[in-house]
Structures are given as structure tokens and as C-alpha cells.
Amino acid sequence: MGTDPTHKMRYVIFINAIADRRFFYYMTMDKPNWLKEKGYLHLSPSLELGSNWQNIERKITSKKYVENYAFYPLIHTILSDRKFKKGNFEKFTTEKRKHTHYRHKTLHPVKNSKKRPLHYASHLDALIYGYYADILKTRYEQLLKKEPLQDEAVIAYRKIETFKNSGIGKSNIHFARECFDEIKNRTDKDKETAVLAIDLKSFFQL
């Protein structure tokens, strides 16, 4: 390039133009849905994504980075969910729905709660898991779409919109209503209908 100041200025302008284009590219990119800050306490410090989220995204989406990454251990805790359950008059003093029922003879309290084991990943670990979960979710949806019957029946680990492009996912209330409507529709048509209701205990525990 020599010592010509004109050449040096052109070179600087060229480099700045590339930098500005890259900056504009990153500023106009939308942050992925899986890239979310986690607010809970852990062994590692909380990540403040802010305007630096592109750098974190580049790390997470790099196979080489993940291959050499040392994951933190999980923090384990037990969450107790209180249930508002109907009482059994043969066992308890009332049939009303309560958080706690009392036995007839002993008046011993029986709390209606369910223990849920939870494992918390560190903040960066959780983002890595979220990235690969998003990839698996996309492939899972593609697989289900190939079989219409499966697509209608399977509701676990999916966001099924209340209506097309609503952006709002259905809840258990929606699915329960659809189930009852289907049962009513079949019985109204004098179709023989069988309903199976089961609860698998500790399904996700190894």
C-alpha cells in the first residue's frame, strides 16, 4: 500500500465501512426466543445480555465452543405444590375441597401437597440447553406434522396456538374442554365411547 496518505485513508474508510455494516447487521438481528436471562441464584454469576447478546449467541451456537465447554453441576431442590383437593368422608372430617384434611379418629392433618424435584442449571448452561431444545422442538414438530393423527393427539412439550398465528398457547383448560366436547359429540351420535384416565407416578424420575 506504500506510504501514500490517500491509500491509507481509503484503507481506513474501507475497514470502517465493513465494521459499520457488521454493526448494522447485528443491530437489526432479532434475539432468538431461547436466549433469555435467568434470574435465579446459582454458582455462576447472572448473565446480563443487553446489547451484548450476539456474542453469547455466537458462543452457544458454536459446536467447537460447546464441545470444549465445562458444564456446572446442577443445584437440586424440592418444590412443594399445595393441592386444593376434595375430601373423602370415609377418611376425613369433610368432603369439601381444602389444602389440608383431618382424619376422623385422630384429627391428624393430612396436607394435600405434591413434591416436585427440581434441578437448576447455571445461567450459561441453561442457555445452551435452551438452544438445543429449540432445535429438537423444531424437528419434533416436523415429525408430528407427517402424521395427522399424532399431530392432533400429542400435546406434551408443544406450544399449540389457540388459533392460527395468535401467538398464545393453549392451556390444560383448553385441552380439557376439547376432550369433553369430543366425548359429548360422540355420545350424541350414539357412538360407543370409552374414556381412559390415568396418572403415572414419578414419570420423569429415573
Side-chain angles (χ1 to χ4, degrees):
M1 189 167 57
T3 57
D4 188 343
T6 304
H7 288 169
K8 288 183 179 180
M9 184 170 293
R10 288 175 181 173
Y11 177 76
V12 171
I13 293 173
F14 176 72
I15 294 300
N16 287 339
I18 294 176
D20 289 343
R21 182 175 295 180
R22 287 178 179 173
F23 177 76
F24 177 76
Y25 172 73
Y26 286 122
M27 289 298 291
T28 54
M29 285 177 63
D30 291 329
K31 186 165 68 173
N33 291 330
W34 54 264
L35 195 60
K36 299 175 181 178
E37 292 184 16
K38 309 294 181 180
Y40 53 81
L41 295 176
H42 208 278
L43 300 175
S44 63
S46 179
L47 295 175
E48 296 181 1
L49 300 178
S51 60
N52 194 42
W53 64 264
Q54 293 94 346
N55 292 330
I56 297 175
E57 183 193 22
R58 279 198 298 271
K59 288 181 179 179
I60 294 172
T61 56
S62 168
K63 292 182 179 179
K64 287 293 184 182
Y65 178 82
V66 176
E67 284 175 2
N68 296 288
Y69 178 74
F71 287 85
Y72 278 83
L74 301 174
I75 290 182
H76 175 248
T77 188
I78 301 292
L79 183 66
S80 180
D81 284 345
R82 298 184 69 188
K83 300 286 185 179
F84 197 65
K85 295 179 67 175
K86 187 176 181 180
N88 182 346
F89 202 66
E90 294 180 0
K91 297 180 180 180
F92 306 115
T93 57
T94 181
E95 289 185 339
K96 293 181 179 180
R97 292 185 178 274
K98 289 188 172 184
H99 290 301
T100 303
H101 288 100
Y102 296 87
R103 297 192 183 277
H104 273 301
K105 295 181 179 180
T106 63
L107 295 181
H108 181 75
V110 178
K111 293 183 178 180
N112 299 317
S113 60
K114 186 173 184 179
K115 305 296 183 182
R116 298 183 183 276
L118 295 180
H119 296 81
Y120 292 93
S122 73
H123 301 285
L124 185 56
D125 293 6
L127 292 179
I128 295 174
Y129 294 141
Y131 168 64
Y132 284 98
D134 189 67
I135 294 175
L136 290 174
K137 182 183 71 174
T138 301
R139 296 184 180 181
Y140 180 50
E141 287 293 334
Q142 292 172 349
L143 183 64
L144 290 176
K145 294 297 182 185
K146 293 179 181 179
E147 297 290 342
L149 186 60
Q150 283 188 148
D151 189 33
E152 291 181 9
V154 177
I155 61 175
Y157 299 103
R158 307 178 70 189
K159 181 179 180 180
I160 302 175
E161 294 181 322
T162 51
F163 56 88
K164 190 174 182 180
N165 298 326
S166 70
I168 302 173
K170 291 182 179 179
S171 68
N172 288 342
I173 298 173
H174 293 95
F175 296 124
R177 173 63 188 270
E178 290 174 3
C179 183
F180 288 128
D181 286 346
E182 181 63 24
I183 294 170
K184 186 177 185 301
N185 182 50
R186 294 192 183 196
T187 52
D188 287 346
K189 294 179 180 179
D190 295 325
K191 289 185 178 181
E192 186 176 348
T193 305
V195 179
L196 178 64
I198 60 174
D199 184 13
L200 302 178
K201 185 178 180 181
S202 303
F203 181 77
F204 294 103
Q205 295 181 23
L206 299 176

